[in-house]
Amino acid sequence: AQSVTQLDSHVSVSEGTPVLLRCNYSSSYSPSLFWYVQHPNKGLQLLLKYTSAATLVKGINGFEAEFKKSETSFHLTKPSAHMSDAAEYFCVVPGGDSSYKLIFGSGTRLLVRP
Amino acid sequence: DVKVTQSSRYLVKRTGEKVFLECVQDMDHENMFWYRQDPGLGLRLIYFSYDVKMKEKGDIPEGYSVSREKKERFSLILESASTNQTSMYLCASRLPGGTTEAFFGQGTRLTVV
């Protein structure tokens, strides 16, 4: 069965410093993977998705993620944090017992300090 | 621009009321979903629908029902609202297939008093 684990519930960085949000997945095959962002009291917005075409995926707002099969990881990075990046981030994999469903990580709240 | 629209951003209802949350998508997606989101519990799937008039229970269907009479519209119904249904409700839609992303509405924050 597919699953994702977000290793940090909270991450705090200073504005202008790099961001690393960690996600590990468990799957019996090479899955698709997504990162979503949710700003306070808003819906979820897709940041980027991996669908096996290229292991380094670039997304919106300067974010990118690298799929590493050997480490079963799909960590989200950004070279320089901006105050507007403060939000909750979810790593997501399709699966369960049906590809209709999406399996969500528990989320990582990113705090950006001035 | 693709859109999933939820009918209300904020709702306040009384215990025992029947509550309807509406969701409309303009992308011709077969699959639609209702989630609730609570602090510390993440997103939990209530119901999903893979076609008109077709539905399946998610992880927490108790106290909820759904209706999908048209492809673009998916309604969540709280038959008799209770205070433990106070939550953020999120609607989503996606195409079939394992590589397709979901598109989310802006959410409805429901308070049951």
Side-chain angles (χ1 to χ4, degrees), chain A:
Chain A
Q2 284 71 250
S3 67
V4 287
T5 301
Q6 292 184 245
L7 298 164
D8 306 294
S9 59
H10 293 80
V11 170
S12 180
V13 301
S14 296
E15 190 175 20
T17 65
V19 176
L20 170 65
L21 305 183
R22 298 183 294 165
C23 173
N24 284 102
Y25 70 90
S26 173
S27 177
S28 55
Y29 54 90
S30 186
S32 297
L33 287 157
F34 310 101
W35 274 101
Y36 283 84
V37 61
Q38 184 182 31
H39 289 92
N41 291 309
K42 295 286 179 66
L44 277 72
Q45 180 185 17
L46 182 71
L47 273 179
L48 50 82
K49 68 176 182 179
Y50 166 76
T51 57
S52 77
T55 56
L56 183 62
V57 182
K58 293 189 183 299
I60 61 171
N61 301 335
F63 284 94
E64 61 182 39
E66 187 171 7
F67 177 77
K68 291 186 176 180
K69 188 173 182 178
S70 60
E71 299 176 10
T72 61
S73 69
F74 190 57
H75 301 335
L76 182 70
T77 61
K78 184 173 180 177
S80 175
H82 191 272
M83 295 299 292
S84 61
D85 295 328
E88 189 153 22
Y89 293 79
F90 294 93
C91 183
V92 181
V93 64
D97 55 358
S98 165
S99 64
Y100 298 123
K101 294 185 181 180
L102 295 174
I103 308 299
F104 288 82
S106 53
T108 299
R109 187 165 297 279
L110 177 64
L111 172 66
V112 182
R113 303 184 302 272

Side-chain angles (χ1 to χ4, degrees), chain B residues 44-99:
Chain B
R44 293 180 290 170
L45 181 63
I46 304 171
Y47 266 98
F48 68 98
S49 168
Y50 50 91
D51 202 348
V52 175
K53 297 190 186 296
M54 306 303 287
K55 62 187 179 185
E56 280 197 27
K57 294 180 180 179
D59 301 316
I60 51 163
E62 296 78 18
Y64 303 94
S65 62
V66 290
S67 172
R68 189 150 181 220
E69 296 296 319
K70 294 185 177 181
K71 190 175 186 179
E72 67 269 20
R73 186 179 298 270
F74 191 35
S75 303
L76 180 70
I77 303 155
L78 286 65
E79 298 290 343
S80 177
S82 64
T83 55
N84 63 13
Q85 293 178 308
T86 292
S87 186
M88 172 72 119
Y89 290 88
L90 293 165
C91 174
S93 74
R94 67 188 287 239
L95 288 168
T99 63

